[in-house]
Amino acid sequence: QVQLVESGGGVVQPGASLTLSCVASGRAFTPGTVAWFRQAPGKEREFVTALRWADNKKVYTSSVKGRVTISRDIAKNTVYLQMNRLMPEDSAVYYCAARPGGLILSAISDSNQYDYWGQGTQLTVSS
């Protein structure tokens, strides 16, 4: 059984920076693709960013490009989501998702492609 555990959420002011973490645990698991999604109250879950493990290819949704960086620590089986210049519209529950295989780039933002999900971590950006 693979488990994904997110951490690092909280309440921050606009303009602040924050890094979320996602640790994969359980049976030996090397992810093929890991992604971050977010869901704000009353809104659909939306893709934020993803990382393809084999080639470290990274994809970002346009609304966060330039402010967000996804990275990994292979030894720790951990993926990070560094967010800068946070805005109130970034407030949401952030979910980490993973799948064993890689994905073509056209499918990487599709939440249905991911097999494992974390429980989510809340980020609130407010003054």
Side-chain angles (χ1 to χ4, degrees), residues 2-127:
V2 175
Q3 292 182 323
L4 303 177
V5 179
E6 304 100 332
S7 63
V11 180
V12 298
Q13 293 189 336
S17 298
L18 192 76
T19 299
L20 305 181
S21 302
C22 172
V23 181
S25 63
R27 63 176 174 85
F29 174 66
T30 299
T33 309
V34 180
W36 287 94
F37 291 81
R38 66 186 181 186
Q39 188 167 20
K43 294 189 176 181
E44 298 280 323
R45 185 173 296 185
E46 66 169 346
F47 170 79
V48 179
T49 180
L51 183 153
R52 197 163 59 189
W53 213 257
D55 58 4
N56 203 29
K57 178 69 177 178
K58 302 170 185 179
V59 176
Y60 299 93
T61 192
S62 57
S63 63
V64 303
K65 198 172 291 184
R67 298 191 299 119
V68 165
T69 302
I70 188 170
S71 62
R72 64 181 176 176
D73 185 326
I74 296 175
K76 295 181 179 180
N77 236 20
T78 300
V79 172
Y80 302 98
L81 178 64
Q82 180 181 352
M83 297 181 286
N84 301 314
R85 302 192 305 279
L86 284 164
M87 303 183 291
E89 46 265 49
D90 293 316
S91 298
V93 178
Y94 283 74
Y95 297 93
C96 176
R99 55 172 281 136
L103 281 171
I104 58 175
L105 296 185
S106 61
I108 210 165
S109 62
D110 181 0
S111 61
N112 294 316
Q113 301 293 332
Y114 294 87
D115 303 295
Y116 306 106
W117 291 81
Q119 82 289 348
T121 186
Q122 175 73 50
L123 169 63
T124 302
V125 184
S126 174
S127 55

